[in-house]
Amino acid sequence: MASVSMTVNGREVSGDVEGRMLLSSFLRDDLRLTGTHVGCDTSQCGACVVHVNGEAVKACTMFAVEADGAEVATIEGEANADGSLSVIQQAFQDHHGLQCGFCTSGMVMSAAALLKENPKPSETEVREYLEGNICRCTGYHNIVKAIMAASGQDVAAIAAE
């Protein structure tokens, strides 16, 4: 067992973990932050994307001990301080960027990382950035529209696939 301490969504947390425990398991099972979804455990789907020290990371590919001392942000921390939806979350709602919702937390976290790096991405750049995220319901069109809208861009010009 190893002791880990980190800041998750602005709150100091700690726990004892086995060396092989994944960050996704620590967040979900120990901290009860179940918005981080696990869909594949092989880094293929992107449902588990969180931010570690400001970088988008697939939490199913990182051990909890690797996050010791880190700043971790999950989907639960994306809402505004008053509890209202963030710009990105609101755009996903407004533009129907979700259906079953399983991939949504990873998509929102990936979108937040993209918009931090590139505040006004092109449609192509959004699609390329999301290559590591799988959605089986939406066909991505409305997800792309949501991200473009969250960046303040006109979504009317986005062609339907």
Side-chain angles (χ1 to χ4, degrees), residues 128-146:
E128 287 174 358
Y129 197 88
L130 294 179
E131 284 182 349
N133 295 71
I134 295 174
C135 176
R136 291 184 168 95
C137 300
T138 67
Y140 302 95
H141 180 69
N142 289 343
I143 293 170
V144 173
K145 280 176 52 175

Side-chain angles (χ1 to χ4, degrees), residues 10 13 27-28 35 59 91 96-97 106 128 130 141 146 154 160:
V13 299
L27 294 171
R28 290 182 56 79
H96 311 290
E128 287 174 358
L130 294 179
H141 180 69
D154 181 21

